[in-house]
Amino acid sequence: MLFLFVLMLDVPALIENPITRFSISGTLRDLCLSGGALALAGALGIFGPRASPALALIGRWFFGITMLDYGLQHFLHPHFAPGVPFPLIMPAWIPGQVPLSWITGAVLVVGGFCILTGIRARAAAAWVGIAYILLVLLVYLPMEIAQPSIAISGALDYVADTLAVGGAAL
């Protein structure tokens, strides 16, 4: 279902509108969530022994490519909030913004590479998942507590996106 969401909504939107790094990030987020679900289905053998390796491989590729892109975005744009690269600038009261962004970027690039190549892919996925959970606890929840939002594109939306990607990694 998530992959169909990418094909039927995200891809036509990218074709129709000028491509920005944020629209690509949204498409990759949905692709990586579908990749996490496919990898889990493959690991559990839900669709039988023949389909399992293919599903796991496709899921790894969807997730790994997204992590490589997200990791590189952290080095190119370190003042944006870490995790899923969307247009939210980190508040000035969060200390060590650039080092936090670079450390996050390094974890995502190394994790994405390992997931793509299959070199210690499970450990890499666990580290990526832990990094995303820590971002929720250390960045996004404090931002939400400082300025509560129930608006669709408020900080609560970032909590959900970051938590979802962390869950897909785990």
Side-chain angles (χ1 to χ4, degrees):
M1 183 185 88
L2 290 167
F3 184 66
L4 290 175
F5 186 77
V6 171
L7 290 178
M8 294 189 299
L9 297 174
D10 289 336
V11 171
L14 283 175
I15 292 169
E16 197 172 293
N17 297 320
I19 296 175
T20 67
R21 74 182 187 94
F22 299 121
S23 62
I24 292 170
S25 292
T27 300
L28 287 175
R29 177 206 51 212
D30 297 339
L31 191 66
C32 117
L33 294 176
S34 73
L38 288 171
L40 179 62
L44 296 176
I46 290 177
F47 294 104
R50 285 187 175 175
S52 293
L55 288 176
L57 182 64
I58 292 167
R60 276 187 20 218
W61 277 89
F62 286 176
F63 196 86
I65 288 169
T66 301
M67 291 305 104
L68 284 176
D69 178 75
Y70 283 8
L72 293 174
Q73 293 295 326
H74 284 77
F75 291 106
L76 297 173
H77 309 283
H79 294 291
F80 284 91
V84 179
F86 282 134
L88 177 68
I89 302 290
M90 249 195 296
W93 53 266
I94 294 181
Q97 293 180 13
V98 172
L100 175 64
S101 187
W102 287 351
I103 290 168
T104 303
V107 168
L108 298 183
V109 167
V110 171
F113 176 79
C114 290
I115 290 166
L116 280 173
T117 61
I119 300 170
R120 302 192 45 84
R122 288 182 184 199
W127 280 108
V128 168
I130 290 167
Y132 271 96
I133 302 302
L134 287 174
L135 289 175
V136 169
L137 294 174
L138 300 175
V139 176
Y140 291 105
L141 283 179
M143 286 171 57
E144 181 61 29
I145 291 167
Q147 288 196 318
S149 69
I150 55 172
I152 291 297
S153 31
L156 195 55
D157 195 31
Y158 290 93
V159 170
D161 279 343
T162 308
L163 199 55
V165 173
L170 293 172

